[in-house]
Amino acid sequence: MAYSAKGYGKLIGMEGFGETLLKNHFTLYQGYVTNTNKLLDTLASMLKEGKIGTPEYAELKRRLGFEFNGMRLHEYYFENLGGKEAPNKSGKLGRKLAEDFGSYEDWEKDFKGTGAMRGIGWTILYQDDITGRLINQWINEHETGHLAGGIPVLVMDVFEHAFMVDYGLKRGDYIEAFFKNINWDVAESRLR
Ligand SMILES: [Fe+2]
């Protein structure tokens, strides 16, 4: 069954995110969906044609990690945007953040600090599915650094395409804008 791109048009008009930037971002996301479908189809054909064991098969398998995660991480990202409320520090997620990081403020400092790291990729607040612990993690590009079995609770895109049109090199200003638009209800609903 093929994946289909979801629509995130309702995010247009979000404070701190220009329409051009968002529309370009949606187009990029759709490209990942298209390529994920293409790769899965091609790999399935190669299996039938007895092409396993070829360098072509190996490279396409590797590529799937990039395209699939590029698709799925954008879905997590767009879905955890569009909120207007401040985080509820006494809610389930707020209390868990304070428990695992010492305070909500320390979690926020660590998440923003992770996002400000040089390089392109993602910052993800993960929940370890075995212990329940919350961990902020950096992902290189789309596929390197994921925590096995980790549940993505809050996902922030820090590729340059996510902010340069509006903020130039000021990634910190983009991260502040991201925080103003987090949909905390969505993030909390991802917690186990
Ligand atoms: Fe992106």
Side-chain angles (χ1 to χ4, degrees):
M1 200 179 68
Y3 290 100
S4 41
K6 298 176 185 178
Y8 296 106
K10 64 170 190 203
L11 295 180
I12 288 171
M14 225 174 14
E15 190 194 334
F17 286 76
E19 186 171 342
T20 304
L21 178 135
L22 282 174
K23 284 187 168 166
N24 285 336
H25 211 167
F26 299 154
T27 304
L28 271 172
Y29 155 64
Q30 288 152 12
Y32 288 111
V33 179
T34 303
N35 283 0
T36 296
N37 287 326
K38 210 180 276 178
L39 275 175
L40 288 170
D41 286 349
T42 308
L43 286 164
S45 308
M46 291 177 90
L47 169 65
K48 286 201 181 69
E49 292 157 10
K51 288 183 180 162
I52 291 177
T54 62
E56 291 80 3
Y57 187 82
E59 289 310 304
L60 290 181
K61 274 278 177 189
R62 287 199 175 91
R63 186 75 190 171
L64 184 61
F66 180 84
E67 300 290 353
F68 181 94
N69 285 301
M71 168 181 77
R72 185 53 46 79
L73 290 175
H74 278 103
E75 291 169 352
Y76 279 116
Y77 171 70
F78 292 134
E79 281 160 24
N80 63 215
L81 278 171
K84 288 188 169 48
E85 310 290 322
N88 176 5
K89 293 179 191 172
S90 55
K92 190 178 163 195
L93 178 56
R95 280 184 283 121
K96 183 79 178 124
L97 288 170
E99 195 183 308
D100 289 353
F101 288 86
S103 66
Y104 167 85
E105 287 70 23
D106 274 357
W107 165 75
E108 189 177 302
K109 218 180 281 171
D110 188 70
F111 188 91
K112 287 177 174 172
T114 308
M117 283 164 51
R118 289 171 66 78
I120 48 167
W122 299 81
T123 297
I124 302 182
L125 167 65
Y126 264 120
Q127 185 173 36
D128 173 2
D129 65 330
I130 304 290
T131 66
R133 181 179 175 165
L134 296 174
I135 300 170
N136 290 327
Q137 175 66 337
W138 170 267
I139 308 302
N140 268 332
E141 299 212 348
H142 301 308
E143 76 276 42
T144 309
H146 291 286
L147 304 181
I151 300 148
V153 175
L154 182 67
V155 173
M156 178 169 72
D157 193 339
V158 282
F159 272 73
E160 280 144 359
H161 65 247
F163 61 88
M164 274 199 102
V165 172
D166 289 341
Y167 294 99
L169 290 173
K170 293 180 181 150
R171 193 194 288 213
D173 291 355
Y174 156 71
I175 293 174
E176 292 306 318
F178 172 84
F179 262 78
K180 284 190 186 124
N181 292 283
I182 293 173
N183 188 327
W184 290 102
D185 289 340
V186 167
E188 187 166 282
S189 73
R190 292 172 181 163
L191 270 188
R192 292 270 164 90

Short mmCIF file of all heavy atoms in Angstrom, two decimals, residues 25 74 122 157 159 161-162, ligand 1:
data_model
loop_
_atom_site.label_atom_id
_atom_site.label_comp_id
_atom_site.label_asym_id
_atom_site.label_seq_id
_atom_site.Cartn_x
_atom_site.Cartn_y
_atom_site.Cartn_z
N HIS A 25 8.25 24.00 2.21
CA HIS A 25 8.49 22.88 3.12
C HIS A 25 7.51 21.73 2.85
O HIS A 25 7.87 20.56 2.86
CB HIS A 25 8.40 23.36 4.57
CG HIS A 25 9.30 22.61 5.50
ND1 HIS A 25 9.57 23.03 6.77
CD2 HIS A 25 9.97 21.43 5.34
CE1 HIS A 25 10.39 22.15 7.36
NE2 HIS A 25 10.63 21.18 6.52
N HIS A 74 8.86 14.62 9.00
CA HIS A 74 8.10 15.82 8.65
C HIS A 74 6.66 15.72 9.15
O HIS A 74 6.06 16.71 9.56
CB HIS A 74 8.14 16.08 7.14
CG HIS A 74 9.40 16.76 6.71
ND1 HIS A 74 10.44 16.11 6.10
CD2 HIS A 74 9.81 18.05 6.85
CE1 HIS A 74 11.43 16.97 5.86
NE2 HIS A 74 11.07 18.16 6.31
N TRP A 122 17.73 16.96 12.76
CA TRP A 122 16.54 17.09 13.60
C TRP A 122 16.91 17.05 15.06
O TRP A 122 17.89 16.41 15.44
CB TRP A 122 15.59 15.91 13.32
CG TRP A 122 15.11 15.82 11.91
CD1 TRP A 122 15.79 15.28 10.86
CD2 TRP A 122 13.86 16.27 11.40
NE1 TRP A 122 15.02 15.38 9.72
CE2 TRP A 122 13.84 15.97 10.02
CE3 TRP A 122 12.75 16.89 11.98
CZ2 TRP A 122 12.74 16.27 9.21
CZ3 TRP A 122 11.66 17.19 11.17
CH2 TRP A 122 11.66 16.89 9.80
N ASP A 157 12.52 20.26 13.15
CA ASP A 157 13.35 20.26 11.94
C ASP A 157 14.39 21.37 12.07
O ASP A 157 14.03 22.53 12.30
CB ASP A 157 12.43 20.54 10.73
CG ASP A 157 13.09 20.27 9.39
OD1 ASP A 157 14.33 20.25 9.30
OD2 ASP A 157 12.33 20.08 8.41
N PHE A 159 16.97 21.49 9.56
CA PHE A 159 17.57 21.69 8.25
C PHE A 159 17.43 23.18 7.92
O PHE A 159 16.48 23.83 8.35
CB PHE A 159 16.82 20.87 7.19
CG PHE A 159 17.31 19.46 7.01
CD1 PHE A 159 17.06 18.49 7.96
CD2 PHE A 159 17.99 19.09 5.85
CE1 PHE A 159 17.50 17.18 7.78
CE2 PHE A 159 18.43 17.79 5.67
CZ PHE A 159 18.19 16.83 6.62
N HIS A 161 16.40 24.54 5.28
CA HIS A 161 15.15 24.87 4.56
C HIS A 161 14.00 25.16 5.53
O HIS A 161 13.00 25.75 5.15
CB HIS A 161 14.75 23.75 3.59
CG HIS A 161 14.39 22.46 4.26
ND1 HIS A 161 15.14 21.31 4.14
CD2 HIS A 161 13.37 22.14 5.09
CE1 HIS A 161 14.59 20.34 4.86
NE2 HIS A 161 13.51 20.82 5.45
N ALA A 162 14.16 24.73 6.80
CA ALA A 162 13.08 24.94 7.78
C ALA A 162 13.05 26.38 8.28
O ALA A 162 12.06 26.80 8.89
CB ALA A 162 13.25 23.98 8.96
FE FE B 1 12.23 19.78 6.55
#
